[in-house]
């Protein structure tokens, strides 16, 4: 580039930084009149057009810059930013896929890739939730036996999306999600269409369906945790259900204990949860002073013990900080939480960060994950931290020893402090534990083997 054009570009960029966008644009356009293929001037002009609210012209400039120089990082990221700013999500994804091979790998590029993937997942989830009965597409990896599988789920859909997506590669899958109102006619439609209908959660939806609908397909129900402590299982017509799936052995035992009549009427099996390792950035880590707590703050999460554990650590070393990714669910415990932070002098040691969508990024600078729950069926927050190589400290809730390494379990505050201050910190071992015990491919294979035992007669 000629030196005089470089000087004019710098003048335009200075005007841009001062907020003089029309004057800056005039400068960039003057450069382009003499050098129409200058990618730097095109990128700068795109930014100016964007600030002036002219999205079409901005996109055109960024696109031209990338056509001239496909590896122009600034134009690449600026184009994606503008498309997302105006909710042009599909075009943003298309842009990333079209040019990403020419863009050097960097932390910024990986962040954009993660952000787009997360946004794509949210958009896909919203689509499924808004269209009960939506077909997920023709199987791309069909096996010897291809079934028609319908998934029925109420508002708590977080744990079913990955299973639906992965099984849709092997089978014909329809998703019947009901975020607000149950539609029994739609559920009957699912039963009439499918070979197998999967009910996610043993809740009111299964109760109503089992008592009021015609059983025209095999029925599977997956029970997570809270349902065992409700009356719902007692109200299910278990003749309607062919197989009950539990996510952990201790949940199966509790079900047998609380509902012995139901347990004798339905076959059951345990299929552990899966953790998608691709969503969590691993690196070797070590001890430090940043502690993480992830989840709602309610009585089951045991905030009393959490604050007592933190207090004992701070007595030993005031550098410890507890970062909380979550919100209060119980006003009584919120009052207690705030009071005890003041009473124990923890004001400078507790950082409330609200609800966090990108847990992978949020956990990046944390050294330990603390879980003080009195009961869990699994504990995704624990497994996700381990997938990143972060050491978990887990209160020994009923069933914890069947899920996580015993060396990470504590029964009281003294054991908590002992584990925390131990020199035993092995990031690779934590991630390998998740690989060995909660591989999502193993989970899908087990589910597949379970489902293909059913065929419509």
């Amino acid at each position: 580039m000629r030196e005089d054009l470089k000087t004019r570009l710098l003048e335009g960029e200075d005007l841009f930084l001062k907020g003089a966008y029309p004057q800056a644009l005039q400068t960039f356009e003057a450069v382009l009149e003499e050098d129409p293929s200058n990618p730097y001037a095109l990128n700068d002009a795109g930014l100016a057009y964007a600030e002036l609210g002219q999205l079409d012209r901005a996109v055109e400039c960024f696109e031209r810059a990338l056509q001239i120089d496909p590896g122009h990082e600034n134009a690449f990221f600026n184009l994606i930013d503008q498309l997302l700013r105006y909710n042009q999500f599909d075009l943003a994804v298309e842009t990333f896929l079209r040019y990403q091979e020419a863009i050097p790998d960097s932390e910024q590029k990986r962040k954009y890739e993660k952000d787009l993937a997360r946004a794509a997942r949210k958009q896909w989830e919203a689509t499924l939730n808004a269209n009960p009965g939506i077909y997920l597409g023709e199987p791309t990896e069909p096996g010897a036996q291809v079934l028609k599988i319908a998934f029925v789920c109420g508002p708590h859909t977080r744990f079913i999306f990955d299973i639906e997506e992965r099984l849709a590669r092997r089978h014909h899958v329809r998703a019947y999600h009901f975020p607000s109102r149950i539609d029994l006619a739609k559920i009957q439609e699912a039963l009439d269409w499918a070979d197998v209908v999967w009910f996610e959660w043993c809740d009111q939806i299964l109760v109503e369906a089992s008592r009021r609908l015609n059983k025209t397909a095999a029925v599977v129900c997956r029970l997570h945790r809270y349902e065992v402590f409700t009356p719902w299982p007692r109200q299910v017509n278990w003749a309607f259900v062919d197989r009950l799936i539990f996510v952990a052995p201790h949940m199966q035992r509790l079900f047998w204990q609380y509902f012995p009549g139901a347990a004798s009427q339905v076959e059951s099996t345990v299929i552990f949860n899966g953790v998608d390792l691709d969503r969590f950035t691993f690196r070797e880590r070590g001890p430090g002073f940043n502690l993480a707590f992830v989840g709602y703050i309610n009585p089951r999460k045991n905030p009393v013990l959490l604050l007592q554990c933190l207090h004992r650590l701070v007595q030993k070393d005031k550098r410890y900080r507890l970062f909380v990714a979550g919100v209060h669910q119980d006003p009584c415990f919120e009052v207690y939480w705030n009071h005890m932070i003041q009473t124990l002098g923890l004001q400078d040691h507790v950082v409330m960060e609200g609800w966090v969508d990108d847990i992978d990024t949020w956990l990046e600078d944390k050294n330990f994950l603390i879980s003080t729950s009195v009961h869990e069926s699994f504990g995704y927050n624990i497994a996700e931290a381990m997938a990143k190589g972060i050491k978990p400290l887990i209160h020994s809730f009923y069933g914890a020893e069947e899920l996580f390494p015993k060396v990470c379990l504590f029964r009281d505050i003294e054991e908590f402090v002992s584990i925390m201050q131990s020199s035993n910190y092995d990031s690779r071992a934590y991630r390998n534990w998740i690989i060995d015990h909660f591989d999502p491919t193993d989970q899908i294979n087990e589910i597949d083997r379970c489902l293909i035992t059913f065929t419509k007669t």
Side-chain angles (χ1 to χ4, degrees), residues 285-288 320 368 391 407 416-427 430:
R285 303 167 190 272
Y320 283 107
F368 299 94
K391 182 176 183 176
V407 295
F416 170 83
V417 174
S418 175
I419 296 172
M420 172 69 74
Q421 298 189 327
S422 166
S423 59
N424 180 14
Y425 197 116
D426 190 341
S427 292
Y430 308 142

Side-chain angles (χ1 to χ4, degrees), residues 5 7 43 64 85 132-133 145 190 192 208-209 237 293 314 326-327:
L5 296 183
T7 300
N43 177 69
R64 285 175 56 199
R85 178 180 176 185
Q145 187 173 0
D192 294 340
E208 295 295 321
N237 170 19
F293 175 87
V314 170
V327 295

Side-chain angles (χ1 to χ4, degrees), residues 424-444:
N424 180 14
Y425 197 116
D426 190 341
S427 292
R428 180 62 62 181
Y430 308 142
R431 186 174 175 91
N432 286 343
W433 182 276
I434 303 304
I435 293 172
D436 293 341
H437 293 83
F438 307 115
D439 187 309
T441 301
D442 292 342
Q443 178 197 34
I444 293 301

Side-chain angles (χ1 to χ4, degrees), residues 223-401:
L223 184 150
H224 288 259
R225 188 200 64 82
Y226 87 95
E227 307 101 292
V228 166
F229 304 103
T230 72
W232 297 129
R234 192 169 287 110
Q235 299 174 27
V236 171
N237 170 19
W238 287 105
F240 182 81
V241 181
D242 297 283
R243 189 75 51 82
L244 185 57
I245 296 174
F246 298 94
V247 298
H250 67 286
M251 295 312 307
Q252 185 180 46
R253 292 194 299 272
L254 285 174
F255 182 83
W256 288 343
Q257 176 184 340
Y258 292 148
F259 307 102
S264 66
Q265 297 178 60
V266 63
E267 293 185 26
S268 66
T269 189
V270 174
I271 300 178
F272 287 102
N273 287 312
V275 178
D276 187 350
L277 294 171
D278 291 338
R279 294 180 185 162
F280 300 97
T281 307
F282 172 80
R283 65 177 174 84
E284 297 285 350
R285 303 167 190 272
F289 300 95
N290 290 344
L291 319 178
F293 175 87
V294 178
Y296 290 112
I297 305 172
N298 57 35
R300 182 172 64 85
K301 298 296 185 180
N302 206 353
V304 177
L305 179 59
L306 178 62
L307 290 180
Q308 292 296 326
C309 288
L310 176 63
H311 179 244
R312 184 64 59 86
L313 283 179
V314 170
Q315 287 180 317
K316 293 180 175 294
D317 195 316
K318 294 188 180 300
R319 288 176 290 178
Y320 283 107
R321 296 288 185 276
L322 175 67
F323 296 85
V324 179
V327 295
H328 288 279
Q329 281 189 315
D330 187 309
C332 176
F333 268 83
E334 183 173 6
V335 171
Y336 171 84
W337 175 271
N338 294 331
H339 169 69
M340 289 308 296
I341 287 175
Q342 294 289 327
T343 300
L344 296 174
L346 298 175
Q347 301 94 317
D348 296 331
H349 302 276
V350 177
V351 182
M352 301 294 295
E353 303 208 331
W355 194 256
V356 175
D357 287 326
D358 186 359
I359 287 295
D360 178 51
T361 299
W362 184 81
L363 283 172
E364 191 58 33
D365 64 347
K366 309 303 186 293
N367 305 104
F368 299 94
L369 185 286
I370 314 300
S371 173
T372 51
S373 294
V374 300
H375 194 263
E376 297 283 354
S377 62
F378 178 48
Y380 267 102
N381 62 325
I382 301 169
E384 290 168 355
M386 293 176 69
K388 288 181 66 64
I390 296 171
K391 182 176 183 176
L393 283 86
I394 309 159
H395 184 42
S396 189
F397 61 85
Y398 174 64
E401 70 282 356

Side-chain angles (χ1 to χ4, degrees), residues 127-141:
T127 299
L128 296 189
N129 289 341
N131 299 277
I134 188 171
Y135 179 56
L136 273 59
E138 291 296 304
T140 56
E141 304 168 9

